[in-house]
Amino acid sequence: MENEFIAGNCYTIEEIEKAGFSLARQIINLIFFRNGDVLLAFDFPKPTVPDKYTLNYIGID
C-alpha cells in the first residue's frame, strides 16, 4: 500500500477519510486514524488553521 501522507504536513478530515482512513481513537491532544495496518496520528488543529490537522506519526503493523 502506497502512502500519500507525509509527516509534518497538514490535512483536513475530508482528505484523510477520502484516502480510506477512519477514526480509530481520540485522546487529549491527538487523533488517530486507521486503514488496515496503517495508523496515522495527528495533532489537533491550531487556532490559525482550524480545519487542518498536522500529521505527527505514520505507523505500519
Side-chain angles (χ1 to χ4, degrees):
M1 169 191 262
E2 187 173 322
N3 184 13
E4 59 193 58
F5 294 98
I6 299 171
N9 286 358
C10 297
Y11 302 94
T12 64
I13 293 290
E14 292 78 23
E15 291 172 320
I16 299 165
E17 290 177 343
K18 186 177 178 183
F21 288 85
S22 59
L23 180 65
R25 186 170 183 186
Q26 183 175 336
I27 58 175
I28 295 171
N29 59 351
L30 291 175
I31 187 166
F32 297 91
F33 287 87
R34 180 175 286 283
N35 183 359
D37 292 342
V38 180
L39 180 69
L40 304 176
F42 293 87
D43 273 343
F44 276 91
K46 306 289 187 262
T48 56
V49 190
D51 295 333
K52 295 279 188 168
Y53 293 78
T54 304
L55 179 58
N56 280 338
Y57 174 80
I58 302 170
I60 301 173
D61 290 340

